[in-house]
Amino acid sequence: MKQPKARFLPKGMYTGKNSCPDYWIDRKAHSPIGRLKCVLFRKATKLPAIVISLFLLSCASHVEPTVDWPAYGGNKAGNRYSALDQINRENVQQLEVAWTYNTVKSNKDSMKLQGIQCQPIVIDGILYGTGPGPRLELFAIDAASGQEKWVFTPSNTGNKSRGLAYWASGADQRILYSVGPALYAVDATSGVLVKAFGDNGVVDLHTGLSDNQDKSVSGLGIASSSPGAVYKNTFIVGSSMTESGKAPPGHVRAFDIPTGKLKWVFHTIPHPGEDGYETWPENAYKEIGGANNWSGLVVDERRGEVYFGTGSPSSDFYGGNRRGQNLFANCIVALNAETGTLKWYFQTIHHDLWDRDIPCPPNLTTITLDGKPVDVAVQATKDGVIYVLNRDTGESVFPIEERPVPTIGLPGEHPFPTQKYPVKPLPFSRQVYTEEDITNISPESEAYIKELFVKYKTDNKFTPPSTKGTLLFGYSGGAEWGGNAIDMDGILYQNSNDDPWILEMIDAKTREERMETVSSDKGLFDITCATCHGVDRKGNGSTFPDISKIHERLTQDEVLKVVNKGKGLMPPFQHLSGQQKDMIVDYLFNVTNKVYSENNGGAKNPTWDNNQFGFKPTYIAKTWKKLLDQGGYPGIKPPWGTLNAIDLNTGDYLWRVPLGEFPELTKKGISITGTESYGGPIVTAGGLIFIAGTKDERIRAFDKKTGEVVWQYQLPAGGFATPVTYLVNGKQYVAIAAGGGRGQKPGSNYIAFALPDSGKF
């Protein structure tokens, strides 16, 4: 492994627990100075801090200080913590733009921007990141100036890329990242493909998903929106996919980094003879997909283990063909990173009927219980709860109750009779929608939501889906993919969304019969697409995009490809005939007076490919949308988005504050409401939390002790990503992708902030 140049670490590094912290368990800890730092840190309570600092300064005084952000989440433990404190509470107001890097080189490219969700990495003073979808180009720039070094353009396109992975062995340095179904290995110094990896630098992410010879997964949509994890020479990766009956299996796989060859597969839907097989109907693995890790993974290199969370099985909201507990869906899982052998699991939702995936990687940290340090894996969930699990056993360190829940579901359904309720920490988002929760921002909004409220069932967070409809939380957060940050004192900082959703189900056969009677393109769109995108095609401003002007961004062939294969939350429309698909696409492109025949685009009646993996669900969502008032605001009392500080040593909350605002409401005298947020926080030894992700398109710094906003900056587009911080040539920077999207205006910039030169230490 390449030995990095020597570094010293700023003041504040030696505060906290007296064991080598997880954020040093990366490539730097393998250098002689890195190992020495760990040894000295373990002795920190026995030696004066000044002695340690002076010794390390003498080791590294011949080089400029540099501190990287070497992995997704800041380190392999995913803490999103930095020991840098050059930027702190006292001087953060002096922050100014240090550089801006535009990832898009032409106005033509800017027409198709789909946002940037990437948290970049910084290695030896070089910042690596990705541009916006669909091109998702990989770039390398000087982290101190923003000057471009190279750009790599993948041969295919994708929807999103939330991060990258770095690996080095001697002079061989690689960036590993995914675009659609392709995993690329790119030389970190030159930006060219590493031909020795896979097929000329590329591995197909369908590899290892199915050994069922009767069914093929090759034609099914798959991607890896969150980066994989590196353990020695092993790259461990999950996948994202549709959540319909045509979802491929969500197995977690490992590839040999030097060659790209498959090393091991962990079956998240177990095969015969494997743990958990009995929690499904016999041979469920032959047709049921999902249970995938789409949110990323973390590694404990000392233990040699990888930790991750999984999502719900397919299809969402109906599980009549998957009676049972359904391991390893909705689980936090620990595996041996070298072999894929199961160490332990912890299931958060049994037989998920609400799409309550694990939305972010676990966070590995050390807390103090009964005066003793305990290594834990901390997992936040979409339904707003936090599990703090012993890293060796997978057992919760705080009490959890298994309580009875409603069991009357749709015909053929088998809701699980109990579910988990953590006693500590308390949930950080609301759990059940009640009449008391109805919005009060105006009399008109209150009256509008009251009319909707009486139509739906809301009595329990685990009420099974129905054709009558339910109001529920836990789809767009609670927690989302941005994750959380934990400082050296064991304090967790978590942003949260409070979004109620309306869910109504319909018999799939009934829907097909209705579609056969529809002859107009608009009628087909209203039945098939308006549930998510609205009859006006403008979506809901975030989760479901505005497609009213999709003809300005995509071609008809590109849209038809999405209709056929699905993308993100959108399933492939396998139930439509070729003619029906053409009619919907023509409607989106305002093609009128076109005459259709039975053979135009395909057979009149849809066919199901029996040789392809998957199944037809009996019930599907008829209505699946946010509960919004007539003005488009959440149909619930504010706050709609919060930032929370929780002491993991005790399970108690320290503070909770609104995160984000709608300026137009603030001007009307309505207290700051918070907004939904996508992207997560970082926390620093300078006493600051940096976070963007809000609909008001600002990045903010909070005082980590009080929750007070101490700095904010209006970005040119929404920062729906997680920031990073690093040190180059003795100067600390905070950088973020301002890529917009999620119903906001698009963007294409990365922006870095720093103190004026006089602010250097």
Side-chain angles (χ1 to χ4, degrees):
M1 184 169 290
K2 179 190 175 188
Q3 298 297 329
K5 60 187 178 182
R7 290 152 167 77
F8 77 81
L9 301 171
K11 64 180 181 178
M13 178 59 82
Y14 304 104
T15 60
K17 318 274 180 222
N18 59 336
S19 61
C20 185
D22 283 306
Y23 55 77
W24 280 347
I25 308 300
D26 57 26
R27 69 189 193 94
K28 295 175 184 58
H30 293 280
S31 69
I33 288 180
R35 288 194 295 269
L36 179 59
K37 289 175 187 174
C38 286
V39 171
L40 287 175
F41 190 88
R42 292 189 179 104
K43 306 292 186 182
T45 57
K46 298 180 180 180
L47 289 176
I50 186 65
V51 174
I52 298 171
S53 299
L54 288 173
F55 183 82
L56 290 176
L57 281 170
S58 69
C59 292
S61 59
H62 63 286
V63 295
E64 288 291 336
T66 300
V67 176
D68 292 343
W69 189 271
Y72 185 60
N75 47 67
K76 291 186 179 180
N79 297 143
R80 297 170 190 81
Y81 171 80
S82 172
L84 297 175
D85 62 359
Q86 182 184 118
I87 301 170
N88 53 53
R89 297 185 192 95
E90 286 69 39
N91 60 23
V92 66
Q93 285 287 346
Q94 301 175 39
L95 280 182
E96 58 186 21
V97 174
W99 54 257
T100 299
Y101 173 71
N102 192 345
T103 61
V104 174
K105 304 301 186 290
S106 72
N107 290 332
K108 181 180 178 181
D109 289 339
S110 66
M111 294 296 292
K112 296 184 177 183
L113 299 185
Q114 296 178 4
I116 307 174
Q117 298 182 2
C118 180
Q119 183 190 53
I121 58 176
V122 180
I123 307 291
D124 291 335
I126 305 299
L127 184 145
Y128 302 90
T130 60
R135 294 179 67 177
L136 295 177
E137 291 181 311
L138 174 67
F139 65 82
I141 60 177
D142 186 297
S145 67
Q147 183 176 358
E148 184 177 288
K149 291 186 172 294
W150 53 255
V151 175
F152 168 78
T153 301
S155 57
N156 62 309
T157 59
N159 188 24
K160 61 181 74 73
S161 174
R162 291 175 179 146
L164 315 164
Y166 173 84
W167 172 88
S169 178
D172 188 356
Q173 303 176 64
R174 304 182 186 183
I175 303 295
L176 298 160
Y177 92 116
S178 300
V179 180
L183 170 63
Y184 291 90
V186 180
D187 185 279
T189 59
S190 65
V192 300
L193 284 174
V194 180
K195 299 295 186 180
F197 180 84
D199 183 6
N200 290 314
V202 185
V203 165
D204 185 346
L205 286 173
H206 291 92
T207 303
L209 282 185
S210 178
D211 55 10
N212 178 3
Q213 300 302 313
D214 298 328
K215 298 288 184 74
S216 170
V217 301
S218 60
L220 301 182
I222 185 173
S224 182
S225 53
S226 298
V230 172
Y231 173 73
K232 296 182 179 179
N233 288 342
T234 300
F235 185 70
I236 307 158
V237 66
S239 54
S240 57
M241 56 192 61
T242 178
E243 298 175 11
S244 72
K246 276 295 185 181
H251 306 325
V252 174
R253 290 147 296 149
F255 296 90
D256 178 68
I257 297 176
T259 66
K261 293 181 179 179
L262 184 69
K263 289 186 70 171
W264 54 256
V265 178
F266 175 75
H267 295 134
T268 59
I269 301 175
H271 289 204
E274 296 177 340
D275 290 339
Y277 179 76
E278 71 285 354
T279 66
W280 300 81
E282 186 177 6
N283 294 327
Y285 73 99
K286 291 186 176 182
E287 69 170 15
I288 295 176
N292 53 309
N293 165 249
W294 59 262
S295 56
L297 319 89
V298 291
V299 168
D300 182 331
E301 289 201 317
R302 183 170 65 85
R303 286 176 170 82
E305 295 178 0
V306 61
Y307 306 81
F308 57 88
T310 58
S312 57
S314 65
S315 65
D316 283 344
F317 315 129
Y318 184 75
N321 62 332
R322 53 177 171 89
R323 182 172 190 160
Q325 186 179 351
N326 299 160
L327 296 175
F328 295 93
N330 304 91
C331 284
I332 306 156
V333 181
L335 305 179
N336 180 296
E338 192 64 47
T339 66
T341 304
L342 179 67
K343 305 294 289 187
W344 54 257
Y345 71 89
F346 180 96
Q347 191 171 47
T348 58
I349 303 287
H350 311 310
H351 190 84
D352 187 4
L353 301 175
W354 309 273
D355 192 34
R356 288 178 178 149
D357 301 344
I358 300 294
C360 55
N363 192 322
L364 307 183
T365 193
T366 301
I367 62 174
T368 300
L369 293 175
D370 300 323
K372 298 179 181 179
V374 179
D375 291 343
V376 293
V378 181
Q379 184 67 67
T381 70
K382 283 168 74 172
D383 53 334
V385 300
I386 295 169
Y387 295 98
V388 186
L389 308 180
N390 184 297
R391 214 183 303 174
D392 290 316
T393 66
E395 297 174 337
S396 176
V397 303
F398 295 117
I400 294 177
E401 296 177 357
E402 191 88 17
R403 301 177 189 169
V405 295
T407 56
I408 299 176
L410 290 163
E413 182 56 89
H414 315 280
F416 206 77
T418 64
Q419 296 288 352
K420 287 184 171 67
Y421 287 81
V423 176
K424 264 196 168 186
L426 293 173
F428 55 85
S429 65
R430 280 168 273 198
Q431 301 291 288
V432 178
Y433 191 95
T434 69
E435 189 169 2
E436 289 296 313
D437 291 308
I438 293 175
T439 180
N440 61 356
I441 64 169
S442 72
E444 295 78 13
S445 292
E446 185 175 6
Y448 182 90
I449 295 299
K450 274 187 176 180
E451 284 190 24
L452 291 173
F453 173 78
V454 298
K455 296 180 180 180
Y456 302 106
K457 193 171 180 63
T458 65
D459 58 330
N460 192 294
K461 69 178 284 188
F462 293 109
T463 296
S466 69
T467 54
K468 178 183 178 182
T470 52
L471 283 176
L472 69 158
F473 294 101
Y475 180 69
S476 53
E480 259 296 337
W481 51 264
N484 45 59
I486 298 178
D487 66 19
M488 291 296 290
D489 296 321
I491 311 302
L492 177 142
Y493 305 94
Q494 176 71 62
N495 54 313
S496 175
N497 298 336
D498 267 46
D499 285 327
W501 284 69
I502 300 170
L503 173 63
E504 291 178 290
M505 302 295 288
I506 187 172
D507 184 294
K509 186 176 181 180
T510 300
R511 187 172 182 178
E512 286 184 13
E513 290 172 350
R514 286 176 57 194
M515 290 177 61
E516 288 181 1
T517 66
V518 175
S519 59
S520 71
D521 50 9
K522 183 182 185 304
L524 276 171
F525 177 88
D526 289 348
I527 291 176
T528 306
C529 311
T531 296
C532 298
H533 297 286
V535 293
D536 61 0
R537 298 182 278 178
K538 292 186 177 180
N540 62 7
S542 56
T543 309
F544 302 119
D546 184 339
I547 56 174
S548 61
K549 298 180 179 179
I550 198 168
H551 58 281
E552 296 178 359
R553 298 186 287 111
L554 300 173
T555 67
Q556 285 189 259
D557 285 344
E558 287 171 328
V559 174
L560 186 59
K561 182 179 178 181
V562 174
V563 172
N564 278 320
K565 292 194 172 184
K567 188 174 184 179
L569 298 176
M570 178 177 163
F573 287 165
Q574 302 281 347
H575 59 288
L576 298 180
S577 69
Q579 177 180 320
Q580 289 170 326
K581 294 173 186 176
D582 281 350
M583 291 172 70
I584 289 174
V585 174
D586 286 343
Y587 175 70
L588 291 174
F589 281 76
N590 302 312
V591 175
T592 58
N593 300 319
K594 184 173 178 179
V595 178
Y596 297 94
S597 67
E598 271 192 26
N599 295 321
N600 182 19
K604 178 180 179 181
N605 295 314
T607 59
W608 191 263
D609 184 357
N610 290 321
N611 293 320
Q612 197 174 62
F613 193 90
F615 63 95
K616 277 188 176 183
T618 306
Y619 285 83
I620 57 177
K622 173 187 175 184
T623 301
W624 182 226
K625 62 182 180 180
K626 289 182 181 178
L627 177 67
L628 302 174
D629 70 10
Q630 74 282 10
Y633 299 109
I636 189 171
K637 287 178 182 175
W640 301 324
T642 60
L643 183 61
N644 304 265
I646 304 167
D647 187 342
L648 296 177
N649 304 287
T650 64
D652 297 325
Y653 282 71
L654 301 180
W655 49 259
R656 173 181 291 163
V657 296
L659 174 62
E661 68 176 304
F662 290 92
E664 70 275 16
L665 296 182
T666 306
K667 289 178 182 178
K668 292 180 179 180
I670 297 172
S671 298
I672 292 177
T673 59
T675 78
E676 65 177 353
S677 60
Y678 291 89
I682 63 172
V683 61
T684 74
L688 298 171
I689 304 160
F690 289 96
I691 187 169
T694 51
K695 292 176 74 71
D696 55 22
E697 301 177 334
R698 298 173 189 167
I699 182 172
R700 294 173 168 86
F702 289 80
D703 185 321
K704 74 171 190 175
K705 291 193 177 296
T706 66
E708 177 188 3
V709 176
V710 291
W711 171 81
Q712 58 183 317
Y713 179 87
Q714 189 72 45
L715 296 166
F720 302 119
T722 302
V724 300
T725 189
Y726 54 90
L727 195 76
V728 179
N729 298 327
K731 189 169 187 175
Q732 184 181 356
Y733 298 82
V734 175
I736 190 168
R742 304 204 66 84
Q744 308 290 107
K745 64 179 180 290
S748 58
N749 294 312
Y750 282 72
I751 301 175
F753 304 90
L755 298 172
D757 286 340
S758 59
K760 286 177 64 177
F761 66 89

